[in-house]
Amino acid sequence: MSQRYVKALIEHKDREIFLAGLWAITGFSQQPIVVTKHFKGNSSYNIFSKISILVNSITSFSNTPLIFVFYLGILISSLAGIAAVILVIRRAFFNELLAGWPSLIVSIWFLGGLTIFCLGIIGIYLAKIFSETKQRPYTIIKDIYESAIISDEVNDNP
């Protein structure tokens, strides 16, 4: 690891550290090192530790699940709205009156989808606040290249 790479890693102010994610977003080129590991016993990681690391990696570096919840709420509400329109059309044009069960289910699904949609909006908003409080650097400068033209202009000015 170079000193610039270590300094760039230190610029991240995360408290819940997922080091593999920080390595990826720091942006330096990485070269894998193949290591032949000989069996020395059982692993100390159990399934609960692995799940904990998975959840930490998803919540630290992605708001995709929140966006998924947002769109899921839209989908459920839209399907319930379409079902409600179908129920109204069947009643108005075909004089088919279904017992209260379909309208009850449609209203429950519509309100449930609306609730999930609103939770998705709140979640996305909180994810934006959370990403700002991490104080991650906006950019990491790997190298500064100076041009001969710029150097000459700087030297010519008194």
Side-chain angles (χ1 to χ4, degrees), residues 89-158:
I89 290 173
R90 286 177 69 176
R91 175 66 177 146
F93 295 113
F94 302 110
N95 203 18
E96 293 180 14
L97 178 60
L98 299 173
W101 182 252
S103 60
L104 178 68
I105 294 300
V106 165
S107 64
I108 289 172
W109 275 82
F110 182 75
L111 291 175
L114 196 60
T115 303
I116 293 171
F117 168 75
C118 291
L119 285 175
I121 289 175
I122 293 169
I124 292 169
Y125 180 71
L126 289 176
K128 290 179 187 274
I129 293 172
F130 181 59
S131 68
E132 287 296 321
T133 60
K134 286 182 184 179
Q135 297 178 351
R136 287 184 177 156
Y138 292 116
T139 57
I140 294 174
I141 300 172
K142 289 193 254 183
D143 289 317
I144 297 175
Y145 300 100
E146 292 187 29
S147 158
I149 297 171
I150 294 174
S151 298
D152 292 339
E153 290 176 0
V154 171
N155 292 335
D156 289 342
N157 291 335

Side-chain angles (χ1 to χ4, degrees), residues 1-13 26 28 137 140:
M1 268 191 252
S2 70
Q3 188 175 13
R4 290 178 300 144
Y5 183 59
V6 172
K7 284 182 180 179
L9 278 175
I10 292 173
E11 287 182 21
H12 297 283
K13 306 286 190 237
T26 302
F28 286 80
I140 294 174

Side-chain angles (χ1 to χ4, degrees), residues 63-77 112-124:
N63 61 353
T64 305
L66 299 172
I67 294 171
F68 173 73
V69 167
F70 171 77
Y71 285 120
L72 181 66
I74 290 175
L75 178 70
I76 292 172
S77 295
L114 196 60
T115 303
I116 293 171
F117 168 75
C118 291
L119 285 175
I121 289 175
I122 293 169
I124 292 169

